[in-house]
């Protein structure tokens, strides 16, 4: 989730590129860089936000940066390699004559790296992107130009990329290529802008050309030519953008939260891509840094987290206990550190944190480490303190989450926990075929999530009916009990309605006293082994006049007898259902908050990252 800007025209390239990068900063913010193409190739990059790059550029470079009228820039959200000056884009070849900016992940980078080193190339960063610059260098012979060298290079890449490339030998020329990572061209008057997101283009022109996967564009100030990978010319349509800047920043969604809810098919995919291997039924989690002995030693897993991440931990408990038969405990970070937790050899502590900066979670991590216990981190933000201080870990690769109420990070955390549970289960008694079936189901999740997202308009209607209710109850059983907690938390956070999540059977021990016609009860009731029991709980609510909103499996007719509204989800293997059941709850909270006029993205009193105790 990084941002790319390229420019060729008559304006000051530094100004155009920096202002474009600022518009893309919400997509990635750990480091940034620029390559200017003119009489020479001038590259400058800096760890931190675009403002840090801007300041350092003003200090470090000669005042004649205004003489450059072409170049490429990048704002990074680290995946391979921690955020740093050196890992920032652009990346260069051995002779500093080719500069590359890249969005996406090159999956065969290790193979390419080995090959390039054998051929004598010197690799200077921890990134996958640097391999692209060296490959272009390798193919850029006396008889070729930048375009043909890039053609040959992309043919060897596996993975996703949006690329912009400049060469010292061909000033003013930018080659752009796309596969799985968006890239569009803006056609201005005597100028061309390239960007990964229209928000960096609209202030210059509303005429855009969307590159498709497998297309390469040859761009200079006078225009562009597009080709397929066989160097055949492709004619492109120039389209008009009619969105305002505000809307584009949220990719057309009215709130970041909604955008993030709708990103989940992609973010779930990003969490398991390259890790849940279908052919072999195996799980590869390279960042764990656990030896065979460490793995054999695990007698207990302790998840520690706060808020939504704690709910993900509870789901992890169901998954690991059922699949891998390893005992699990789930701790609130704030509670863990203020008592005298008993930790012993064989314990594995796993902290879960979207931001990687939550103060209580970090303190719990340090507490566990001080007792000599191995600590793994499941985090989203690369290079965050928790990621750095953990002994090993798993990035969830959900991209920047801007809405304060966590949505896509939760489903990505759950995806990672499913994989961790399967990995441990294979060491217990799950065979490769069983594991392969689970992995197959995991691979089908993005499509199933898309299907659930199509209910958004229907859920909006339910939200309108219930927007004035003062209390909500959320009930679920088994692995959907934590989902009930998460659904209630979402509603509380953004709509300021009091909501409680309970294990459905616990209703009879208290909450049932609250039920009347003004109390909507959300039942999470997919068809699994808890179904019959949950139907009994629904009858109990119905008998007391409660209004029921049910999350049920497609084709479930029986549930109609008890429910006022039903939101259907596709059928799914039982412990994977939270990835689907939580989506309607996120949407319900979102639509209710919008009806109530609440500030969805920045709810009162809350912070995205809680760095005080
Ligand atoms: C805050 C956020 C929540 C988040 C919690 C834990 O309360 O508003 O959305 O779940 O912190 O944050 P973490 O970054 O550690 O997952």
């Amino acid at each position: 989730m990084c941002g790319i800007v390229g420019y060729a025209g008559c304006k000051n390239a530094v100004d155009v590129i920096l202002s474009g990068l600022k518009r893309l900063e919400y997509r990635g913010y750990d480091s940034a860089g620029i390559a200017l193409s003119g009489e020479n190739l001038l590259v400058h990059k800096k760890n931190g936000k675009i403002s840090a790059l801007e300041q350092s550029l003003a200090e470090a470079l000669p005042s004649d940066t205004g003489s450059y009228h072409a170049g490429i820039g990048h704002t990074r959200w680290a995946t391979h390699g921690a955020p740093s000056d050196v890992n920032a884009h652009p990346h260069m070849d051995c002779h500093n004559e080719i500069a590359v900016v890249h969005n996406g992940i090159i999956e065969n980078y290790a193979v390419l790296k080995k090959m390039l080193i054998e051929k004598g190339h010197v690799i200077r960063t921890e990134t996958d992107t640097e391999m692209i610059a060296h490959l272009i260098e390798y193919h850029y012979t006396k008889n070729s130009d930048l375009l043909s060298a890039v053609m040959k290079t992309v043919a060897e890449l596996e993975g996703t990329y949006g690329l912009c490339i400049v060469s010292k030998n061909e000033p003013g020329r930018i080659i752009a290529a796309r596969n799985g990572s968006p890239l569009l061209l803006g056609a201005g008057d005597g100028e061309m802008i390239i960007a990964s997101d229209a928000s960096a283009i609209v202030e210059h022109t509303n005429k855009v050309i969307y590159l498709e996967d497998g297309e390469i564009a040859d761009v200079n100030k006078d225009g562009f030519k597009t080709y397929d990978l066989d160097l055949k010319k492709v004619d492109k349509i120039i389209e008009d953008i009619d969105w305002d800047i505000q809307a584009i920043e949220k990719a057309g969604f009215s709130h970041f939260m909604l955008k993030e809810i709708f990103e989940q098919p992609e973010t779930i995919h990003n969490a398991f891509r390259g890790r849940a291997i279908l052919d072999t039924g195996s799980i590869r989690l390279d960042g764990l840094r656990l030896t065979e002995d460490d793995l054999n030693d695990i007698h207990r897993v302790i998840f520690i987290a706060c808020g939504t991440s704690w709910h993900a931990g509870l789901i992890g408990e169901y998954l690991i206990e059922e699949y891998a038969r390893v005992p699990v405990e789930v701790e609130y970070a704030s509670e863990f550190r203020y008592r005298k937790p008993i930790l012993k050899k064989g314990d594995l502590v796993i902290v879960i944190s979207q931001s990687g900066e939550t103060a209580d979670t970090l303190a719990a991590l340090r507490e566990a480490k001080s007792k000599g216990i191995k600590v793994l981190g499941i985090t989203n933000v690369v290079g965050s303190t928790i990621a750095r201080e953990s002994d090993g870990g798993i990035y969830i690769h959900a991209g920047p989450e801007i809405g304060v109420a966590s949505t896509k990070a939760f489903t990505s955390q759950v995806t990672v926990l499913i994989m961790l549970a399967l990995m441990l289960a294979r060491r217990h008694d799950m065979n490769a075929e069983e594991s392969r079936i689970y992995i197959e189901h995991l691979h089908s999740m993005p499509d199933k999530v898309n299907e659930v997202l199509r209910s958004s308009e229907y859920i909006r209607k339910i939200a309108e009916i219930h927007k004035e209710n003062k209390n909500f109850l959320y009930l679920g059983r088994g692995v959907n009990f934590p989902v009930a907690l998460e659904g209630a938390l979402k509603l509380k956070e953004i709509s300021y309605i009091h909501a409680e999540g309970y294990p459905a059977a616990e209703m009879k021990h208290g909450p049932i006293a609250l039920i009347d016609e003004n109390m909507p009860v959300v039942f999470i009731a997919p068809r699994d082994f808890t179904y019959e029991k949950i139907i009994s709980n629904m009858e109990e609510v119905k008998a007391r006049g409660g209004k029921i909103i049910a999350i049920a499996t497609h084709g479930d007719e029986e549930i109609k007898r008890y429910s006022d509204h039903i939101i259907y989800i596709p059928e799914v293997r039982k412990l994977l259902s939270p990835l689907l059941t939580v989506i309607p709850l996120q949407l319900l909270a979102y639509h209710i908050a919008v009806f109530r006029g609440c500030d969805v993205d920045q709810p009162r009193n809350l912070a995205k990252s809680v760095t005080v105790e």
Side-chain angles (χ1 to χ4, degrees), residues 305-311 352-359 361 378 380-381 386 401 403-407 409 413 486 489-490 493 603 606-610:
C306 301
T308 290
S309 299
W310 184 77
H311 296 156
I352 309 175
S353 173
Q354 186 284 130
S355 62
E357 301 294 347
T358 301
T361 313
I378 296 179
N380 191 28
V381 179
I386 289 178
E401 191 178 61
V404 165
S406 184
T407 52
Q413 288 165 343
E486 176 61 9
L489 177 64
K490 289 288 89 84
E493 282 180 313
L606 295 179
K608 184 72 192 151
S609 175
V610 179

Side-chain angles (χ1 to χ4, degrees), residues 373-433:
I373 301 293
K374 277 228 181 255
V375 181
L376 301 181
I378 296 179
T379 54
N380 191 28
V381 179
V382 175
S384 56
T385 313
I386 289 178
R388 278 187 279 113
E389 293 198 15
S390 304
D391 295 305
I394 313 171
Y395 283 123
I396 62 172
H397 293 320
E401 191 178 61
I402 295 166
V404 165
S406 184
T407 52
K408 62 176 182 173
F410 175 74
T411 46
S412 296
Q413 288 165 343
V414 172
T415 303
V416 159
L417 290 166
I418 291 168
M419 291 189 291
L420 185 66
L422 289 174
M423 192 196 88
L424 295 176
R426 289 281 282 120
R427 310 181 65 82
H428 182 61
D429 63 358
M430 186 182 279
N431 63 37
E433 180 51 17

